[in-house]
Amino acid sequence: MELELRGITKRFPGVLANDDITLTVRSGTVLALIGENGAGKSTLMNILSGRYQADSGQILIDGEIRSFDGPGDSIAAGIGMVYQHFMLVPVFTVAENVVLGVEPTKPLGVLDKRVAREQVMDISERYGLVVDPDALIETLPVGIQQRVEILKVLRRGAKILVFDEPTAVLTPQEVTEFFGIVAELKARGSTIIFITHKLKEALAIADDITVLRGGKVVGTADPKVASVEELAAMMVGRDIATKVVKETVGGGEKVLVVENLTLTDDFERPLLKSVSFEVRAGEIVGIAGVQGNGQTELVEAITGVLPVSSGGVYINGENVTNDSPREHHSIGMAHVPEDRTHVGMVGSFSVRENLILDSYYSPPFSRRGRLNGASISDFATELVERFDVRPPLIDNLASALSGGNAQKMIVAREFSRDVPVVICAQPTRGIDVGSIEYIHEQIVRKRNDGKAILIVSTELDEIFSLADRILVMYNGAIIAERVTTETTPIEIGLLMAGRAAEAGAR
Amino acid sequence: MSEESASIRKKRPANRERHSPVMKKSQIRQARISGSIIFGLMAVTLLFFIPAVADTGKATFRLSTPDDRVQLDPLRIPVTGSLWLLAAVLAFLGSLQLFRKSQSRRTVILGLSFSIFVLVIMLWATADREFSLVSMLDATVTNTTPIALGALSGILCERAGIVNIGIEGMLLSSAFSGVVLGSLYGGWIGLLGAVATGGLVALLLAVLAVHFHVDQIIIGVVINILALGLTSFLTAQVLVQRPQLNDAPIFRSQKIPLLGDIPILGPMFFDQTVIVYGTFVLVAVVTFFLFRTRWGLRTRAVGENPAVADTLGVSVVKVRYLAVLYGGMVGGFGGAWFTIGTVGRFDEGMTGGRGFIGLAAMIFGAWNPVGAFLAALVFGFFDSLRQKFGLLDTPIPTEFLAMAPYLVTIIVVAGLIGRVRPPAADGQPYQKEQ
């Protein structure tokens, strides 16, 4: 089926989210829709799914004008959405999730579980999407959950599939599998819209590329000839350095030393298995790994959030093991946490208050228990300007900031102090290209100033562009260490998947 | 925001306990605590109850009432010997917990130990006396009814993601309207009016929670206070002046032929009022509809993750309205029990916290109708034990026994007997993000 959008416009109070968007997806092709956060991708998708109604404009399917008053209409028109945050009920089985909303029933509205299972098996065989219909969703890995999402839309007879950032939560190997699935769907005649801000993926998989910026279509590109740099420039509206320029800094003193760090969970099972490494002054060490292999716990243990079972953490030779986060902070550690919205900031506080969250208790911000408003405002105003937080209004609520600007605010707070150790967990996850570029610059600047920097990221691109050395975490242990210039993303990817033997063979 | 979903997945490992051969630290602690509790119960038995019954002979438990068709001989149990035996069993169960740390059956073992201890108390209180076991069990089922209906009301609402702590208010207001309408037009109209009143109160909850996104705890508190104030005001202003409005006919017990003649079980389950029978039916019906039908699947989906249901074209608003409305009607049915189901008149605040105990039964029963009914039975049992012990003139103040179900509730809610998982979106207003 062919999908055409004509002049779609959607206004929210104070924001023109979609401005006269016109685009066409040819039947049986893949269109990549790229744009930064806030470019209007999600709004456009919600209009397609019938959750929002456009203020003006038309949706045409196979040349016929359709109007959607709710998600039901969109589904009936053959559009299927695969959301970034999977729309699955974790305590239901695969079959229950797939049939929800279009349940096969016997008289009295009684569910026909047998038919439901058969329907799931049938589609999964037809498209080669293997999955156990009786498994509970919460027991399944993310890649399989995504399959269930795809089964769900296929079950509803979707001919146009819309994927919202489908690879954000997948491992590199799962991404490869996912591309296989997309190729298979395309071969069977499905039309696919692929929303992403990962330009390489758009180039790899799409037949056409449309770029959104500020709610408008700013251009289209042919993936056969376009380059990442061109697309990035189109997306951001200026030239973007996709490669970070780093000068070599000689290895300095060992600043952060982690020795045999061990941590167990409530069930006495190991989360961290005797992790040891060190970070030298003027060096960025990157920890690569698939989400959930102990990186979160490692960062929490190093920064004093989680008490460790055994092992030690040293800053410039001083033992800080199991000291409180505030002690870490005062001895000389900055921490950009992984969970930006919940750990990194207080959403209901103003930007000004968030900027002094770590040091409100000491002069010049407070004296004898009283906050000093003037010095806090001066400090906040300066930081907001220096770290390019937009809009630069220190009295705005932190929750009103976009992801990228919220992260810049947190980076501003943590980087404003002159401390020897900087820990950044997922510093650029889910934020726009412009902010990524900016934050990467700041990290490299810290390194060039001779700080010891540890970054944790699930994005291989980020690790490769920033780190001097790469440690691979798998199953709670560091299973490999490589110098960045002497390894490849393929090798690290295999190590991340725990396939050390294959990685060695290459 | 993918961080958020990742952390949710992390916090809720699926069935970890069942698959894991390794024992959790907190489980070891729980085993120690429950073992100590069991030994504590044993110590109380040895140090207090056994000396107290030293010179007594047998306890007599009547198993039939005089007008039962099948007459069973009363049980005569030697008290001292039995208490020693029960203390030994408690010691055995306690050491199972302390030394074997058997975790899978802790709930069963703790439940068994508490039951044994209740038996100890009953034997001690009945020593050298007579106690009608059958009428106490009969009263248990009667007392269970409002608690079970309150719990069912809560389950219906919370499975759809609306927290209902206004059950107490629903019970109270429908008890009131039941008696007034019953006095005027007879019992059946009174029952209908009570159900409708429950529905109306629920509508208030639904409108405020679903449309206006008001905090559901606050709505519940408001409903409870409003119901108490309004019914008390109307009682003082209207019912006192016109006592004929506070004199409704009551539903009598109706014996089911044959089944009602089964010894002990007959009077408990098959010689009851319409409202009690209705409760049995409702437990079955709600279980069936929640877990076997399309309506149930959608309701549970909305309670777990309303965004999912919304994207699939299921109307979250409609599902929540219906579930809350049904919940309110079930609560209204329970309210009728207090007046036209038992005494036929209304007194201020007569529900006496049964709605809150119903809420505890809902949690105890893991948001499952059958589980909640069994939990309500436990609470109903203590309720009737207190009533009947009042008659025996025991040295334990009955107020102490009245506390027992609340103590059990605290132990349950504190999670000692296995933590249960509420619907994931319970209490969260759903708003399409704009």
Side-chain angles (χ1 to χ4, degrees):
Chain A
M1 280 203 279
E2 187 178 277
L3 174 75
E4 191 184 344
L5 302 180
R6 278 191 200 155
I8 297 285
T9 301
K10 176 75 183 174
R11 209 170 261 108
F12 292 121
V15 194
L16 188 56
N18 282 170
D19 183 4
D20 192 24
I21 289 184
T22 298
L23 58 85
T24 306
V25 196
R26 291 173 290 135
S27 185
T29 64
V30 178
L31 172 82
L33 197 59
I34 61 175
E36 293 190 274
N37 286 358
K41 292 173 298 179
S42 322
T43 306
L44 190 63
M45 199 177 81
N46 276 313
I47 289 172
L48 262 182
S49 73
R51 287 177 95 189
Y52 298 165
Q53 275 75 48
D55 297 332
S56 62
Q58 293 159 336
I59 300 170
L60 288 84
I61 292 174
D62 283 338
E64 200 179 312
I65 296 179
R66 307 295 285 256
S67 70
F68 302 151
D69 290 332
D73 294 342
S74 161
I75 292 168
I79 298 180
M81 320 293 295
V82 177
Y83 292 92
Q84 181 182 5
H85 319 294
F86 296 148
M87 290 292 178
L88 298 170
V89 179
V91 296
F92 283 10
T93 65
V94 169
E96 283 172 332
N97 269 287
V98 170
V99 300
L100 184 66
V102 283
E103 305 85 350
T105 53
K106 296 189 260 197
L108 268 177
V110 178
L111 284 181
D112 196 333
K113 293 196 174 167
R114 199 180 49 81
V115 172
R117 292 184 74 247
E118 278 169 9
Q119 287 175 347
V120 174
M121 306 277 269
D122 182 45
I123 311 165
S124 80
E125 264 167 42
R126 215 167 346 132
Y127 287 88
L129 299 164
V130 185
V131 59
D132 170 12
D134 297 321
L136 281 183
I137 292 296
E138 60 185 4
T139 64
L140 298 175
V142 180
I144 306 290
Q145 293 190 13
Q146 188 175 54
R147 271 184 213 175
V148 179
E149 279 283 24
I150 298 171
L151 283 176
K152 214 166 82 177
V153 300
L154 291 174
R155 160 72 185 78
R156 286 173 169 70
K159 297 285 190 298
I160 300 171
L161 278 79
V162 184
F163 290 94
D164 181 21
E165 304 277 357
T167 58
V169 287
L170 302 183
T171 66
Q173 277 68 26
E174 283 175 326
V175 169
T176 314
E177 266 175 55
F178 170 73
F179 284 178
I181 293 173
V182 169
E184 179 68 26
L185 289 169
K186 193 172 128 182
R188 289 175 177 277
S190 297
T191 304
I192 289 161
I193 301 180
F194 180 80
I195 296 173
T196 187
H197 59 238
K198 294 186 185 173
L199 305 173
K200 280 186 187 161
E201 290 179 1
L203 289 173
I205 197 174
D207 298 303
D208 302 290
I209 297 177
T210 295
V211 185
L212 289 185
R213 189 174 75 229
K216 286 187 186 133
V217 173
V218 292
T220 55
D222 180 351
K224 287 186 215 71
V225 295
S227 71
V228 169
E229 285 73 20
E230 279 171 52
L231 291 178
M234 237 194 267
M235 235 163 90
V236 184
R238 63 189 162 88
D239 286 337
I240 284 283
T242 51
K243 283 275 179 290
V244 180
V245 188
K246 281 192 311 196
E247 54 213 274
T248 326
V249 178
E253 297 289 307
K254 291 180 185 175
V255 178
L256 173 69
V257 176
V258 174
E259 256 177 23
N260 299 321
L261 213 56
T262 303
L263 187 69
T264 56
D265 68 1
D266 248 7
F267 299 81
E268 297 283 11
R269 283 172 314 180
L271 291 170
L272 294 178
K273 299 170 185 164
S274 191
V275 172
S276 301
F277 62 90
E278 81 276 327
V279 186
R280 292 169 180 275
E283 178 188 45
I284 299 178
V285 171
I287 294 191
V290 176
Q291 174 87 40
N293 274 290
Q295 302 98 313
T296 307
E297 290 79 7
L298 177 64
V299 169
E300 290 184 349
I302 293 176
T303 54
V305 178
L306 273 182
V308 299
S309 317
S310 67
V313 180
Y314 304 87
I315 299 176
N316 279 332
E318 191 171 344
N319 188 345
V320 294
T321 320
N322 287 344
D323 282 354
S324 72
R326 184 177 285 190
E327 283 166 300
H328 280 75
H329 176 268
S330 59
I331 289 166
M333 185 183 274
H335 174 205
V336 177
E338 166 184 325
D339 187 343
R340 180 161 60 235
T341 45
H342 296 111
V343 183
M345 66 184 212
V346 181
S348 56
F349 278 16
S350 64
V351 171
R352 177 217 314 260
E353 287 164 322
N354 271 289
L355 284 170
I356 57 153
L357 270 188
D358 61 337
S359 44
Y360 65 91
Y361 53 85
S362 56
F365 305 132
S366 77
R367 284 208 174 80
R368 279 180 252 107
R370 269 188 76 238
L371 290 176
N372 180 348
S375 77
I376 294 172
S377 294
D378 290 348
F379 174 75
T381 312
E382 193 228 312
L383 277 196
V384 160
E385 194 165 322
R386 181 143 66 95
F387 286 83
D388 190 33
V389 179
R390 280 181 266 177
L393 304 171
I394 58 172
D395 289 314
N396 269 11
L397 287 189
S399 58
L401 294 174
S402 72
N405 282 301
Q407 188 71 345
K408 282 195 246 171
M409 174 187 78
I410 295 166
V411 167
R413 182 182 69 217
E414 298 298 329
F415 283 28
S416 62
R417 291 185 311 130
D418 185 30
V419 292
V421 179
V422 178
I423 316 258
C424 297
Q426 317 291 356
T428 60
R429 174 147 69 187
I431 68 179
D432 56 288
V433 186
S435 302
I436 292 177
E437 183 195 29
Y438 184 81
I439 288 170
H440 282 178
E441 272 172 28
Q442 295 299 321
I443 293 175
V444 171
R445 183 177 297 172
K446 276 278 175 197
R447 163 189 177 271
N448 296 345
D449 285 350
K451 311 301 180 198
I453 297 170
L454 180 70
I455 61 167
V456 175
S457 178
T458 48
E459 300 287 340
L460 273 184
D461 285 347
E462 176 161 61
I463 297 273
F464 270 85
S465 61
L466 288 177
D468 299 299
R469 262 191 307 139
I470 300 176
L471 306 174
V472 181
M473 260 194 113
Y474 178 73
N475 214 357
I478 289 183
I479 56 161
E481 176 181 344
R482 297 283 187 272
V483 173
T484 310
T485 46
E486 295 164 11
T487 184
T488 61
I490 295 170
E491 186 192 21
I492 300 291
L494 286 168
L495 287 165
M496 280 164 67
R499 281 143 67 175
E502 278 171 66
R506 294 208 181 201
Chain B
M1 291 301 267
S2 62
E3 301 97 296
E4 196 179 9
S5 51
S7 71
I8 289 170
R9 268 195 295 281
K10 203 176 61 194
K11 273 179 211 136
R12 298 172 138 203
N15 300 331
R16 234 192 212 176
E17 284 173 64
R18 226 172 291 158
H19 297 310
S20 161
V22 218
M23 222 171 138
K24 203 173 144 183
K25 277 180 229 167
S26 59
Q27 284 180 326
I28 295 174
R29 201 178 55 238
Q30 283 184 357
R32 279 203 201 108
I33 295 175
S34 49
S36 312
I37 290 178
I38 297 171
F39 271 107
L41 296 178
M42 184 201 74
V44 175
T45 309
L46 287 178
L47 297 177
F48 175 73
F49 289 109
I50 293 184
V53 295
D55 305 321
T56 57
K58 295 190 172 176
T60 309
F61 293 100
R62 281 202 305 275
L63 299 181
S64 307
T65 53
D67 31 295
D68 280 354
R69 187 170 303 169
V70 184
Q71 287 290 326
L72 291 182
D73 284 337
L75 273 179
R76 288 179 218 287
I77 301 173
V79 175
T80 315
S82 316
L83 289 194
W84 279 108
L85 184 70
L86 292 175
V89 177
L90 280 177
F92 171 71
L93 292 175
S95 42
L96 265 190
Q97 280 295 298
L98 275 191
F99 305 117
R100 294 278 308 283
K101 301 194 173 65
S102 62
Q103 41 168 320
S104 52
R105 272 157 284 151
R106 174 163 332 109
T107 315
V108 181
I109 289 176
L110 259 184
L112 203 62
S113 305
F114 280 121
S115 319
I116 288 173
F117 190 64
V118 170
L119 211 58
V120 167
I121 298 178
M122 284 172 65
L123 280 166
W124 159 78
T126 323
D128 280 339
R129 278 181 267 217
E130 276 201 9
F131 180 70
S132 174
L133 197 61
V134 69
S135 67
M136 190 204 59
L137 291 177
D138 182 8
T140 296
V141 175
T142 312
N143 290 330
T144 297
T145 304
I147 300 171
L149 288 170
L152 269 187
S153 169
I155 288 169
L156 279 165
C157 299
E158 300 210 357
R159 279 289 183 172
I162 302 288
V163 168
N164 180 6
I165 65 159
I167 299 171
E168 179 79 1
M170 293 179 177
L171 292 179
L172 197 60
S173 46
S174 43
F176 180 86
S177 71
V179 85
V180 173
L181 289 169
S183 306
L184 290 171
Y185 307 108
W188 289 104
I189 298 291
L191 188 59
L192 227 85
V195 170
T197 306
L200 271 178
V201 179
L203 208 59
L204 179 70
L205 170 64
V207 170
L208 291 177
V210 179
H211 266 123
F212 294 102
H213 308 292
V214 180
D215 186 294
Q216 293 161 17
I217 303 291
I218 293 176
I219 310 172
V221 171
V222 167
I223 286 177
N224 289 336
I225 295 173
L226 191 69
L228 183 63
L230 206 60
T231 54
S232 301
F233 171 77
L234 290 174
T235 307
Q237 293 298 312
V238 182
L239 296 192
V240 170
Q241 269 95 55
R242 299 199 183 82
Q244 71 276 14
L245 284 179
N246 196 3
D247 185 20
I250 60 173
F251 289 103
R252 305 267 163 208
S253 296
Q254 280 166 340
K255 195 169 179 175
I256 294 175
L258 289 176
L259 288 175
D261 289 327
I262 301 173
I264 305 175
L265 291 181
M268 270 177 90
F269 294 107
F270 304 111
D271 185 9
Q272 295 284 5
T273 64
V274 184
I275 295 179
V276 178
Y277 292 137
T279 307
F280 300 156
V281 174
L282 276 173
V283 169
V285 167
V286 172
T287 308
F288 178 80
F289 272 88
L290 264 184
F291 297 106
R292 288 290 160 80
T293 66
R294 173 165 63 190
W295 173 84
L297 189 74
R298 290 181 173 188
T299 302
R300 286 184 292 131
V302 166
E304 291 290 338
N305 192 340
V308 170
D310 190 26
T311 52
L312 296 176
V314 174
S315 163
V316 175
V317 171
K318 190 176 135 197
V319 165
R320 287 195 160 169
Y321 258 97
L322 273 183
V324 172
L325 195 66
Y326 292 150
M329 285 160 69
V330 169
F333 188 69
W337 177 88
F338 290 94
T339 48
I340 50 182
T342 45
V343 291
R345 55 170 284 118
F346 183 85
D347 294 305
E348 279 178 38
M350 72 186 302
T351 47
R354 266 5 170 278
F356 295 111
I357 298 294
L359 218 51
M362 171 189 80
I363 298 170
F364 200 170
W367 283 266
N368 180 310
V370 176
F373 180 77
L374 294 178
L377 264 179
V378 172
F379 295 137
F381 175 83
F382 278 101
D383 233 5
S384 57
L385 198 63
R386 172 179 58 85
Q387 291 165 0
K388 303 293 170 186
F389 269 19
L391 305 176
L392 274 184
D393 188 30
T394 56
I396 299 190
T398 54
E399 285 80 5
F400 183 77
L401 273 170
M403 278 163 47
Y406 302 90
L407 282 175
V408 172
T409 308
I410 289 174
I411 293 172
V412 170
V413 176
L416 190 60
I417 309 182
R419 195 166 281 286
V420 287
R421 198 156 106 184
D426 206 2
Q428 294 171 14
Y430 179 65
Q431 208 164 7
K432 295 185 189 193
E433 72 273 24
Q434 290 276 320

